[in-house]
Amino acid sequence: MSLRSKALALVEVLLRVPPLFVVDEFLKISLGLPVAGGEEVPILSNVTIDHVDVDGDANYYDANFYNAFIFTFLKFLICCMGCMSSLCIFVLHTKHLIIVYLYLMSVATVFVSYWTNVSAIKQIQALTLASAPSTSILEDLLNLNMKNLLDLDGPGILVIQNFAIQFALSFFFKNIHLGPREPIVQKFLMLSFIAPSLLALLPVPPNLLHHSPVFSALLPLVLVKYVLWSSAYSVIHVIYAGYQHGRIFVSNYGLSALVETEWMRLNVPCVLRVFWVIRVAEHAVLLLVDNLDEEAEEGLKVSTLLAVQSLASLAKSLLVTGCETITAVLGMTSVISFFCHYIGSFFQWILLTDEEEDKSIGTVSAILFYILALQTGLTSLNPEKRFIRLCRNFCLLFTALLHFLHNVVNPMLMSLSASHNPSTHRHVRALGVCAFLIIFPISLLVYLWSQHSISTWLLAVSAFSIEVIVKVIVSLMIYSLFLVDAYRSTFWEQLDDYVYYIRAFGNTIEFCFGIFLFFNGAWILLFESGGAIRAVMMCIHAYFNIWCEARAGWSVFMKRRTAVNKINSLREASFEQLDRLDDVCAICYQEMHSAKITRCNHYFHGVCLRKWLYVQDRCPLCHDILYKIDADVNKDSDVGNEENSNNQNLLLEEEPDLLLGEGVR
């Protein structure tokens, strides 16, 4: 991307930041609604009741309540309309966004010019009355009396300053206003802006000079109003065209495609990051200025320890104010996503992998943090509790990152061990990441349990940390088994059983932790902090991490049990038969020291044939039925055989021994 393209992209991002600040300001006042425990107090809170008059006082309080309700409703309605207008401006195309900003800047220029003229005229009149000069400003100007004109306490310097300011404002307004650009109108615009300064030079009546700012603002205001009324049709047309585009896009591609397209067009993550950084920088500057003022007043010499404490207090204040509204939480979420993305990229660099699916760590972290913020009611807490809750949410996020890193390193461990990869440094890198995934959770648990008393939050963090430790140990054990198998010269038929038992143990532990977390969340929902979002998340957890896990594990267990019973119904090949055959298994192409004989007289490894039975019940070579269905066969051989035996192309989407508990977790 060229430098010009980067600059244009940055400008477009900056253009979309101001609407977020407008929405943020409306959310700071809770959309005009009274907040329990907040700064807003009921209108009747200062009324003292001396006596009770059923007729008069009842009507009085009813009228006050009605007026308060109407006032609150109108304020809420105005705030909602302001938020909706800001969001509509936010989603505009760049060319329309520039037009909106030009119009708003022209309006702001008119009001700045008016208030500057008002302030200057008031000061000029006050100085004129106070000093009562024998000569006017015009006479000083004609006589080139520079001493009086440049006197800092005289009215002359104010006229010159106001003239320069109004000239700059008129030049700015002439170039940005969207009204008709007739030559005569452009000339009168400049005269209109500087008219009060010119009148201040002349000996005009005080009333005329006092009202001159109003008359000077009439022409630019007429142009601004003309632009507003003449553009009404265009505004309606743009809104309707946007609605039509969205409706057609949704009908053709779906709502998710529209959201994704608009998300990319608006560059929402980058806009949110810039908004949050600017917002935090603003608060940081204000806090630093306040601290410097206090230190200057007290005349204190700040020591190093006090400076560190001041920086810690500053960081705490910035974190608290950085998540006080929904828009601020969204901005913080985007910043966290940015850092988590580079954390994932760092571990990918360590592991020498570049899988696209592993790069979603930033998105997953953002979604998780935002759900935690909504679930814990982060924005509604007071500053001290908000900081504590924010730190706890960060702990939960860190443990989730550990799980994600395990999902990155686990397939790499399996690949390195199963593919007989001789690259030592790749093994060392993967094992180093596994060591980190064990040491860091243990260190975190030791610190948390030593510094905090037992609570539902601490139990949840402990469960997640122990779970990731168990998953890493399971991965290392399977990795070790595969390495041992790689250096064996003969086929290890029990390897599949060992891998199954280890994974079954690990998935059982995870399943138990899932049940524990469900009951822990139920306790929080019922006795600590309930809420609709927490209840929904508990339902999702119960379905995906408990019900689906249990169903998938039971399905794998029944398939394995059925396959074992079917294999046991087949004849075992003797050593003489294997010597006479002198062939390899047609499934794994490994030498056969033991084998099972099918009814079609084909030889296979028992473990290979068992895995094949997970797919279908027919011989891999001739597609005949693999086993006899006799009355003497164990009745359990038919349990779980729900697949159609004639379906020869049925394939599982995952390895059968990975189905137990891996699922959606």
Side-chain angles (χ1 to χ4, degrees):
M1 184 182 290
S2 64
L3 183 60
R4 181 176 180 273
S5 301
K6 291 181 179 179
L8 291 176
L10 178 60
V11 169
E12 186 171 355
V13 167
L14 293 175
L15 288 175
R16 301 191 186 279
V17 171
L20 295 182
F21 274 100
V22 175
V23 175
D24 189 62
E25 291 299 323
F26 283 122
L27 292 177
K28 281 183 180 179
I29 61 174
S30 303
L31 297 177
L33 296 175
V35 182
E39 296 181 356
E40 297 191 16
V41 295
I43 294 178
L44 301 178
S45 60
N46 58 350
V47 176
T48 303
I49 302 177
D50 296 329
H51 64 281
V52 178
D53 184 1
V54 176
D55 296 329
D57 286 348
N59 294 332
Y60 173 75
Y61 287 119
D62 287 343
N64 273 337
F65 176 78
Y66 176 77
N67 292 334
F69 174 77
I70 293 298
F71 177 75
T72 303
F73 176 75
L74 290 177
K75 192 162 64 168
F76 173 72
L77 189 62
I78 292 172
C79 291
C80 290
M81 291 178 62
C83 288
M84 292 299 297
S85 302
S86 301
L87 293 177
C88 290
I89 294 174
F90 178 79
V91 300
L92 288 175
H93 287 278
T94 306
K95 60 179 182 179
H96 297 135
L97 194 60
I98 293 174
I99 293 174
V100 170
Y101 280 127
L102 289 176
Y103 178 77
L104 293 177
M105 284 191 293
S106 64
V107 174
T109 304
V110 174
F111 282 98
V112 170
S113 172
Y114 171 75
W115 288 113
T116 306
N117 277 326
V118 169
S119 177
I121 294 301
K122 284 183 178 179
Q123 294 183 31
I124 290 170
Q125 288 183 328
L127 289 174
T128 302
L129 292 175
S131 59
S134 59
T135 58
S136 64
I137 300 175
L138 180 60
E139 291 178 357
D140 291 333
L141 184 63
L142 294 175
N143 295 329
L144 298 178
N145 190 352
M146 305 304 295
K147 182 180 179 181
N148 289 340
L149 288 175
L150 298 179
D151 185 10
L152 297 179
D153 296 328
I157 193 68
L158 290 176
V159 173
I160 296 173
Q161 290 177 353
N162 188 57
F163 182 87
I165 293 173
Q166 295 302 324
F167 181 82
L169 291 174
S170 65
F171 180 79
F172 182 71
F173 185 83
K174 282 171 58 178
N175 288 277
I176 68 169
H177 80 87
L178 304 174
R181 295 182 177 272
E182 298 295 335
I184 189 167
V185 175
Q186 296 288 85
K187 292 178 181 178
F188 273 106
L189 269 176
M190 181 169 291
L191 181 61
S192 174
F193 274 85
I194 65 176
S197 300
L198 296 177
L199 290 175
L201 298 175
L202 304 174
V204 296
N207 287 335
L208 178 60
L209 187 60
H210 178 74
H211 294 290
S212 60
V214 177
F215 296 107
S216 69
L218 289 179
L219 180 58
L221 276 178
V222 168
L223 289 176
V224 168
K225 292 289 185 179
Y226 174 80
V227 171
L228 183 62
W229 286 107
S230 63
S231 303
Y233 176 77
S234 300
V235 172
I236 296 174
H237 177 72
V238 168
I239 295 174
Y240 182 73
Y243 166 74
Q244 287 291 99
H245 168 74
R247 187 175 62 84
I248 295 173
F249 198 97
V250 169
S251 63
N252 291 334
Y253 304 103
L255 180 60
S256 60
L258 176 65
V259 173
E260 183 178 358
T261 303
E262 292 300 305
W263 186 274
M264 298 298 294
R265 179 182 68 85
L266 300 174
N267 201 2
V268 175
C270 190
V271 174
L272 289 173
R273 278 195 294 272
V274 174
F275 158 74
W276 193 80
V277 170
I278 295 175
R279 190 180 190 276
V280 170
E282 177 190 357
H283 284 282
V285 171
L286 294 176
L287 290 174
L288 287 175
V289 170
D290 292 340
N291 289 336
L292 291 176
D293 291 341
E294 291 177 2
E295 292 171 5
E297 291 176 359
E298 297 176 1
L300 296 176
K301 186 176 180 181
V302 182
S303 63
T304 304
L305 180 60
L306 290 176
V308 172
Q309 292 177 349
S310 178
L311 288 176
S313 176
L314 176 64
K316 178 180 177 180
S317 299
L318 293 180
L319 286 175
V320 169
T321 57
C323 57
E324 61 182 346
T325 61
I326 294 297
T327 49
V329 171
L330 285 172
M332 181 180 283
T333 299
S334 183
V335 173
I336 290 173
S337 172
F338 179 79
F339 284 109
C340 290
H341 170 75
Y342 281 100
I343 291 174
S345 299
F346 172 73
F347 278 97
Q348 282 188 320
W349 172 76
I350 292 177
L351 296 172
L352 300 178
T353 180
D354 194 25
E355 294 291 336
E356 289 295 330
E357 295 181 357
D358 297 338
K359 294 183 179 180
S360 60
I361 182 171
T363 304
V364 174
S365 302
I367 296 173
L368 177 60
F369 179 80
Y370 191 69
I371 291 176
L372 284 174
L374 294 179
Q375 182 174 293
T376 54
L378 195 62
T379 58
S380 61
L381 301 175
N382 61 56
E384 191 63 35
K385 290 184 178 180
R386 188 187 306 155
F387 179 73
I388 296 173
R389 175 54 60 187
L390 187 63
C391 294
R392 292 182 175 183
N393 288 354
F394 277 138
C395 283
L396 291 171
L397 182 63
F398 290 153
T399 55
L401 285 178
L402 297 178
H403 282 268
F404 191 93
L405 292 177
H406 172 263
N407 292 338
V408 175
V409 73
N410 181 58
M412 187 174 182
L413 278 176
M414 301 302 104
S415 175
L416 290 173
S417 59
S419 62
H420 306 174
N421 194 315
S423 180
T424 306
H425 74 281
R426 290 180 66 90
H427 287 265
V428 171
R429 287 170 180 263
L431 293 175
V433 173
C434 290
F436 168 78
L437 293 178
I438 293 177
I439 296 173
F440 182 80
I442 293 177
S443 304
L444 180 64
L445 288 178
V446 170
Y447 172 78
L448 292 178
W449 280 92
S450 62
Q451 298 293 326
H452 299 83
S453 59
I454 187 170
S455 62
T456 52
W457 163 78
L458 186 58
L459 291 175
V461 174
S462 302
F464 283 123
S465 301
I466 296 173
E467 187 177 353
V468 76
I469 294 172
V470 171
K471 291 170 72 173
V472 173
I473 292 175
V474 168
S475 298
L476 290 175
M477 293 176 66
I478 297 175
Y479 165 80
S480 303
L481 291 178
F482 284 161
L483 279 183
V484 172
D485 180 63
Y487 289 99
R488 286 175 58 96
S489 57
T490 58
F491 180 72
W492 193 3
E493 190 169 351
Q494 290 78 20
L495 175 63
D496 180 72
D497 292 329
Y498 295 153
V499 170
Y500 173 79
Y501 294 141
I502 292 173
R503 281 183 173 150
F505 169 76
N507 292 327
T508 302
I509 297 296
E510 291 180 37
F511 181 74
C512 293
F513 274 120
I515 296 176
F516 170 76
L517 289 172
F518 176 80
F519 284 108
N520 187 68
W523 179 273
I524 297 174
L525 179 67
L526 295 176
F527 302 105
E528 293 185 8
S529 61
I533 298 177
R534 186 180 294 276
V536 170
M537 295 306 299
M538 283 189 59
C539 294
I540 294 175
H541 172 75
Y543 177 75
F544 286 103
N545 294 337
I546 296 180
W547 169 250
C548 291
E549 293 279 335
R551 187 175 59 180
W554 181 255
S555 175
V556 171
F557 172 75
M558 293 304 299
K559 286 182 179 180
R560 189 178 182 87
R561 179 185 176 189
T562 301
V564 169
N565 290 331
K566 291 177 180 179
I567 294 301
N568 290 337
S569 68
L570 300 177
R571 290 180 296 141
E572 187 78 28
S574 62
F575 291 107
E576 292 79 7
Q577 290 174 313
L578 294 175
D579 290 337
R580 188 166 57 252
L581 179 66
D582 192 20
D583 200 356
V584 296
C585 175
I587 298 176
C588 67
Y589 299 106
Q590 296 290 328
E591 185 179 357
M592 289 188 292
H593 298 284
S594 62
K596 289 287 187 178
I597 306 175
T598 64
R599 62 177 295 183
C600 51
N601 207 32
H602 290 132
Y603 292 71
F604 303 98
H605 283 135
V607 63
C608 296
L609 203 57
R610 186 175 62 200
K611 290 182 179 180
W612 181 264
L613 284 173
Y614 294 152
V615 180
Q616 57 180 334
D617 291 341
R618 291 184 175 271
C619 176
L621 296 178
C622 65
H623 302 296
D624 195 7
I625 297 296
L626 283 173
Y627 56 93
K628 289 185 177 181
I629 304 177
D630 297 330
D632 299 334
V633 178
N634 193 338
K635 294 182 181 180
D636 291 336
S637 63
D638 293 330
V639 177
N641 185 20
E642 300 175 355
E643 294 81 14
N644 188 351
S645 63
N646 294 323
N647 186 3
Q648 300 179 5
N649 298 319
L650 179 63
L651 296 175
L652 292 177
E653 295 181 357
E654 296 181 283
E655 287 291 333
D657 49 1
L658 291 177
L659 287 176
L660 182 60
E662 290 293 323
V664 298
R665 185 175 290 274

